[in-house]
Amino acid sequence: MTLFGELIAFIVFVLFCMKFVWPPLNNAIEARQQKISDGLAAGERAEKDLQLAQAKIADELKEAKAQAAEIIAQAKKRAEDSVEEGKKRGEQERENIIAAGQAEVQAERNRLREELRKQVAMLAIAGAEKIIEREIDKNAHSDIVEKLVAEL
Amino acid sequence: MAAEELTLQSHIQHHLTNAKMCNTEAGIAFNKACSEAGFWTWHIDTLAWSIGLGIIFLMIFRSAAKKATVGVPGKLQCFIEMIVEFVAGNVRDTFHGKSKLIAPLALTIFVWVFLMNLMDLIPVDFLPAFAGWVGATFFGMNSHDVYMKIVPTTDINMTAALAIGVFMLMIGYNIRIKGVVGFIKELTLHPFSSSNLFVQILLIPFNLLLEVIALVAKPFSLALRLFGNLYAGELIFILIGAIGLFQLPLHFIWAVFHILVIVLQAFVFMMLTIVYLSMASSESH
């Protein structure tokens, strides 16, 4: 009889275990295994992403540095150019100013010479008038005087 | 105490006798009155301890299963899961079919047998003496007439029940996988077969004899292995307990050794169950 009792108990225990004990435990274990493997895969992926990002950063940094160097070089060149240009322009200006001055001086000299000539002519005429006053009619000889003045 | 002299033999005898209950013409009777009842006796200590341990096992595992989370498991869940995974791994490695029954069956066998074997490590006199005291104090019995054998696996009925359960499953799987005809063919046409029809018919009795013996030997070996190991272990515990003061180191050594034995026997029972069922459900012979 003990045999049958134990047999029934055995069957009941196994059925209980099969229905209520094994599935939840096994499910939990399998679900956790899945989760862990997912987590590991995600970690690996993240690491790969990180490496990619770092490579990208390095690339961009290099590019930025190159760009900066280029900009600096350009700026330097432009500064040099503008200094050169300024110098050139200054020189031009100086030449212009000098030329203008010279022209002015020339014009003044011409004017003065003209004036001087006129005055000399006047003086000559006055002298001549005084000399010739008595002998010559002023009106009769004015054309000769004028010709003289023009020749001076 | 008992009026009769306590000899070593009666002491051992007492320890190895189950508490019995049976129906007699006068009604329900106990222990010595049941000596005539033979097979139709209830071994109430075996039943109570084994079913109690089975319920403890299921309660612990059920509570862990109810609270099982996918996230970080608690300590109890961790421990339970270790056992479950161990059993599941063994089943996966050995049983190459799909069955929802095998793994829980293996788990039940492993843990239940282990717990029953574990009772072996409780010092041999504690519980029988306590039962005797209870019997003498509350029921006015002679304490030597109170029997209490606390290790269910030292009762051949217990191990035989387990083995018969497994045996029924073996037959069930055989029939389910191969069909009735296939099962009968396997019993009759192997291992000796011939292309000559007449010779084949002649060979059937031999084949049947061999195969049936091979089949029936499996539950017998299961039952007797577990029973024999645990019975012998218990007997040696009792003998060591009987030698007086010098038992302490001996008892310790034997107990340490026995820790190995009880786990191993539970494991062997489980493994063989899986192997037998795997054989029963595999097509090729």
Side-chain angles (χ1 to χ4, degrees):
Chain A
M1 286 299 265
T2 312
L3 186 74
F4 291 127
E6 295 293 0
L7 190 56
I8 291 162
F10 179 46
I11 292 167
V12 169
F13 287 158
V14 169
L15 286 179
F16 185 88
C17 186
M18 194 170 106
K19 277 263 181 311
F20 299 110
V21 173
W22 187 267
L25 282 173
N26 209 36
N27 287 347
I29 290 171
E30 275 169 9
R32 183 160 339 103
Q33 278 173 339
Q34 186 62 44
K35 213 167 145 187
I36 290 171
S37 79
D38 285 357
L40 286 177
E44 218 160 278
R45 222 169 25 238
E47 203 172 336
K48 216 172 270 174
D49 284 356
L50 183 68
Q51 275 173 355
L52 280 178
Q54 272 172 344
K56 207 171 161 193
I57 286 169
D59 276 2
E60 270 174 19
L61 202 64
K62 214 197 266 174
E63 204 172 310
K65 265 185 190 161
Q67 243 170 7
E70 199 179 322
I71 287 169
I72 287 170
Q74 264 177 355
K76 234 183 233 171
K77 196 168 155 223
R78 199 174 294 166
E80 268 166 25
D81 282 1
S82 85
V83 165
E84 196 75 18
E85 203 177 321
K87 224 189 253 175
K88 223 183 259 174
R89 216 182 316 155
E91 221 150 283
Q92 187 79 33
E93 198 93 339
R94 197 185 67 178
E95 264 161 37
N96 284 355
I97 287 169
I98 287 168
Q102 272 175 345
E104 208 171 316
V105 165
Q106 192 69 40
E108 190 73 5
R109 208 171 62 179
N110 285 353
R111 198 180 55 81
L112 280 178
R113 190 187 280 169
E114 196 74 18
E115 196 130 322
L116 211 63
R117 198 191 288 160
K118 263 181 194 164
Q119 280 181 2
V120 167
M122 296 269 258
L123 270 176
I125 291 167
E129 245 174 36
K130 287 232 162 97
I131 296 168
I132 320 171
E133 217 163 43
R134 296 163 237 179
E135 321 168 10
I136 313 163
D137 185 10
K138 203 183 206 172
N139 293 329
H141 302 287
S142 67
D143 58 329
I144 301 167
V145 174
E146 258 165 40
K147 224 183 250 170
L148 219 92
V149 169
E151 271 172 28
L152 279 169
Chain B
M1 273 303 281
E4 65 201 277
E5 199 186 341
L6 280 172
T7 62
L8 179 61
Q9 199 183 352
S10 77
H11 173 76
I12 293 170
Q13 200 86 51
H14 180 251
H15 269 292
L16 292 177
T17 307
N18 284 105
K20 292 172 188 150
M21 184 177 87
C22 61
N23 278 307
T24 61
E25 282 160 18
I28 295 174
F30 290 97
N31 293 341
K32 282 177 180 167
C34 290
S35 53
E36 299 293 312
F39 181 73
W40 302 106
T41 318
W42 295 98
H43 288 173
I44 47 177
D45 47 1
T46 302
L47 280 167
W49 283 113
S50 63
I51 293 172
L53 289 168
I55 288 170
I56 288 172
F57 147 61
L58 286 177
M59 265 165 47
I60 293 173
F61 275 61
R62 176 66 186 151
S63 76
K66 261 195 293 201
K67 284 182 271 175
T69 59
V70 179
V72 181
K75 282 178 185 166
L76 175 68
Q77 194 188 338
C78 251
F79 176 65
I80 300 293
E81 278 181 5
M82 268 164 62
I83 300 171
V84 169
E85 288 223 46
F86 167 71
V87 173
N90 277 316
V91 172
R92 253 199 311 279
D93 291 345
T94 313
F95 187 80
H96 302 293
K98 273 185 189 160
S99 171
K100 285 192 167 128
L101 175 67
I102 303 294
L105 173 78
L107 178 71
T108 308
I109 286 176
F110 180 60
V111 181
W112 195 25
V113 171
F114 171 72
L115 284 175
M116 291 192 287
N117 290 352
L118 193 64
M119 300 300 291
D120 215 1
L121 291 178
I122 296 176
V124 285
D125 282 326
F126 277 19
L127 288 168
F130 178 72
W133 176 79
V134 169
T137 313
F138 297 106
F139 300 101
M141 297 160 77
N142 182 341
S143 70
H144 199 63
D145 284 340
V146 179
Y147 297 100
M148 178 57 70
K149 200 163 124 184
I150 61 167
V151 190
T153 38
T154 55
D155 185 344
I156 186 79
N157 288 300
M158 178 71 232
T159 59
L162 287 171
I164 288 172
V166 173
F167 184 59
M168 292 192 315
L169 277 173
M170 278 162 63
I171 292 176
Y173 268 84
N174 264 318
I175 290 173
R176 203 177 91 184
I177 304 290
K178 299 161 192 159
V180 179
V181 180
F183 185 40
I184 291 170
K185 263 191 193 162
E186 194 178 282
L187 285 181
T188 50
L189 303 183
H190 295 274
F192 304 114
S193 58
S194 165
S195 50
N196 186 327
L197 189 68
F198 181 68
V199 179
Q200 181 68 69
I201 290 169
L202 262 184
L203 284 172
I204 281 176
F206 297 105
N207 286 334
L208 192 62
L209 188 69
L210 273 170
E211 286 291 317
V212 166
I213 288 172
L215 192 66
V216 172
K218 287 168 184 170
F220 267 95
S221 72
L222 272 182
L224 290 176
R225 179 183 302 108
L226 184 58
F227 167 71
N229 273 287
L230 270 291
Y231 193 85
E234 180 77 349
L235 185 63
I236 289 173
F237 270 124
I238 294 166
L239 284 173
I240 290 171
I243 62 173
L245 195 60
F246 293 110
Q247 67 173 283
L248 288 174
L250 265 178
H251 184 270
F252 177 76
I253 291 166
W254 183 242
V256 169
F257 176 64
H258 220 64
I259 290 173
L260 179 69
V261 170
I262 60 178
V263 181
L264 193 68
Q265 285 306 318
F267 176 69
V268 164
F269 202 107
M270 178 192 85
M271 251 355 252
L272 284 177
T273 301
I274 301 170
V275 169
Y276 288 161
L277 289 176
S278 174
M279 281 162 69
S281 59
S282 65
E283 296 273 2
S284 57
H285 197 60

